[in-house]
Amino acid sequence: MIPLPRGLSVATGLVASHQDVPHFLGQLAQRQFTGYARFVFGASEVLLVFTGGKLTTVLATRGEARLTGLEAIAELCQRVAVEAGTIDVYQLGPELAARVSGVLQGEYHVRAQELKSVEVTALVAKIKARKLNGCVAIYTPQRCSLVFYRDGVGFGFFHDGSQAIETGATDSQKIAGQPGAKMDVMSTRPLEQLPATDFLEVVNVQKVWEAAVRANQARADELRATARAAERQRQESKLTELAEALHVIAAKTLGPMGRQMMTKELAARGGPGFLLHPDQVAEALAALEKGARLVAGPSKLKELTTQLKAEIDRQLAPPQSPLP
């Protein structure tokens, strides 16, 4: 993987095969997102940098191969259609996003050099003598930090969790001291020389995506069937947990009789699946309240229905979009 700090986390661990690529990228554009998204597959990754909703940089890697622009977008669509990768999205400030674009388009001078074999003083002197415009990446498999240079002089850092260029070197020093830490040195173009192309305007992502799905229809269908089965299993597990939580509330409010009444109501409606339908939930709560009048007063009944409804609403609230 290309070493990059993680920025401010917006969404991590999204399942790539669940995504419609044009819709996913369109969401980021519509929300004027600034930052980067990383798609990771078995033997490849795709990095996309957005600035104010414009897709300014796309880089796909597979081994030593590097693809950019249209070829990288085609690779992304191909991979999502045939592999169950993951997606992480990180928000950055505009200048830092531009610096990341520069890094992804940069030229390597040193790559994956173990820090224990580097004479740091000599390296810094060489960077200064050559008036390097670029960065040094210091990283382990878990962490990364970038040190930015202008005319051979370091002027800022990008650490995990940052949204803007930092001035403190503490994170870089901590990473450098860890066993197995490595380093890349690269030169980058000045920000004003970076391309300002918005690939979402010059590439018909919808057509590229449809072509990738058609070319891999059997595998795409298999991935989506697996995703649907996983979602059904997740939903069933969630409903089972919710049903148990409702039993606990009923028992806590009305005692053993309350738990029995809840079991009876769930059974009469074919199990916890009815909890997904608000009209059936309202009917069930009304029936439960009516039956509970024999063993509880008005205040207990109100407490029971209020707590049951609150728990149902809490657990079945529609998920918020993972994107900013």
Side-chain angles (χ1 to χ4, degrees), residues 45 66 83 311:
E45 67 174 332
R66 291 166 62 92
E83 293 188 42
E311 185 66 17

Side-chain angles (χ1 to χ4, degrees), residues 74-190:
E75 175 71 7
L76 171 63
C77 292
Q78 174 77 10
R79 297 275 68 79
V80 172
V82 301
E83 293 188 42
T86 59
I87 312 168
D88 298 322
V89 183
Y90 301 104
Q91 187 170 318
L92 306 174
E95 182 184 358
L96 191 49
R99 296 285 175 192
V100 169
S101 285
V103 169
L104 297 183
Q105 298 173 45
E107 177 185 353
Y108 283 92
H109 300 288
V110 175
R111 190 163 192 179
Q113 176 72 54
E114 288 200 13
L115 272 171
K116 67 180 181 180
S117 64
V118 174
E119 176 51 58
V120 176
T121 302
L123 174 67
V124 172
K126 187 178 293 186
I127 288 174
K128 186 174 182 179
R130 295 185 178 181
K131 295 186 176 181
L132 176 75
N133 289 302
C135 81
V136 174
I138 301 169
Y139 56 94
T140 66
Q142 293 76 35
R143 299 184 63 190
C144 179
S145 185
L146 301 184
V147 186
F148 295 110
Y149 284 84
R150 184 188 297 117
D151 294 328
V153 178
F155 68 89
F157 302 85
F158 177 17
H159 303 308
D160 285 330
S162 297
Q163 279 189 277
I165 293 176
E166 306 279 352
T167 57
T170 304
D171 278 20
S172 297
Q173 292 166 347
K174 288 181 178 178
I175 296 170
Q178 294 181 8
K182 295 183 179 180
M183 174 191 71
D184 296 344
V185 179
M186 66 187 70
S187 57
T188 61
R189 285 182 283 179

Side-chain angles (χ1 to χ4, degrees), residues 40-306:
V40 178
F41 304 97
S44 65
E45 67 174 332
V46 183
L47 286 156
L48 307 100
V49 181
F50 284 80
T51 301
K54 295 181 179 180
L55 179 55
T56 56
T57 301
V58 192
L59 173 65
T61 63
R62 178 172 284 269
E64 294 299 315
R66 291 166 62 92
L67 304 173
T68 60
L70 172 59
E71 290 183 324
I73 291 174
E75 175 71 7
L76 171 63
C77 292
Q78 174 77 10
R79 297 275 68 79
V80 172
V82 301
E83 293 188 42
T86 59
I87 312 168
D88 298 322
V89 183
Y90 301 104
Q91 187 170 318
L92 306 174
E95 182 184 358
L96 191 49
R99 296 285 175 192
V100 169
S101 285
V103 169
L104 297 183
Q105 298 173 45
E107 177 185 353
Y108 283 92
H109 300 288
V110 175
R111 190 163 192 179
Q113 176 72 54
E114 288 200 13
L115 272 171
K116 67 180 181 180
S117 64
V118 174
E119 176 51 58
V120 176
T121 302
L123 174 67
V124 172
K126 187 178 293 186
I127 288 174
K128 186 174 182 179
R130 295 185 178 181
K131 295 186 176 181
L132 176 75
N133 289 302
C135 81
V136 174
I138 301 169
Y139 56 94
T140 66
Q142 293 76 35
R143 299 184 63 190
C144 179
S145 185
L146 301 184
V147 186
F148 295 110
Y149 284 84
R150 184 188 297 117
D151 294 328
V153 178
F155 68 89
F157 302 85
F158 177 17
H159 303 308
D160 285 330
S162 297
Q163 279 189 277
I165 293 176
E166 306 279 352
T167 57
T170 304
D171 278 20
S172 297
Q173 292 166 347
K174 288 181 178 178
I175 296 170
Q178 294 181 8
K182 295 183 179 180
M183 174 191 71
D184 296 344
V185 179
M186 66 187 70
S187 57
T188 61
R189 285 182 283 179
L191 297 186
E192 60 272 15
Q193 293 182 19
L194 294 176
T197 304
D198 180 2
F199 288 103
L200 294 182
E201 289 195 352
V202 300
V203 176
N204 189 328
V205 180
Q206 185 65 42
K207 284 190 175 181
V208 176
W209 170 243
E210 289 172 356
V213 172
R214 281 197 305 272
N216 302 278
Q217 193 65 59
R219 179 56 178 157
D221 290 345
E222 180 185 340
L223 280 173
R224 280 154 184 72
T226 300
R228 287 194 296 271
E231 177 59 23
R232 283 195 300 270
Q233 185 175 5
R234 186 196 68 80
Q235 188 72 271
E236 290 172 3
S237 176
K238 187 174 185 178
L239 288 173
T240 299
E241 292 177 5
L242 174 56
E244 180 54 30
L246 299 181
H247 276 101
V248 170
I249 291 171
K252 184 177 180 180
T253 307
L254 302 178
M257 180 66 73
R259 188 176 186 90
Q260 292 174 16
M261 293 173 66
M262 180 57 66
T263 298
K264 180 180 177 182
E265 198 60 43
L266 286 165
R269 297 176 185 277
F274 83 90
L275 295 168
L276 296 172
H277 306 284
D279 55 337
Q280 294 184 36
V281 169
E283 292 174 3
L285 291 178
L288 192 63
E289 182 178 357
K290 182 178 179 180
R293 285 174 185 164
L294 300 175
V295 294
S299 62
K300 279 290 183 183
L301 291 178
K302 183 177 180 179
E303 178 186 349
L304 174 65
T305 55
T306 298

Side-chain angles (χ1 to χ4, degrees), residues 4-19:
L4 275 182
R6 295 181 175 87
L8 178 65
S9 179
V10 172
T12 57
L14 301 179
V15 180
S17 60
H18 288 189
Q19 306 299 328

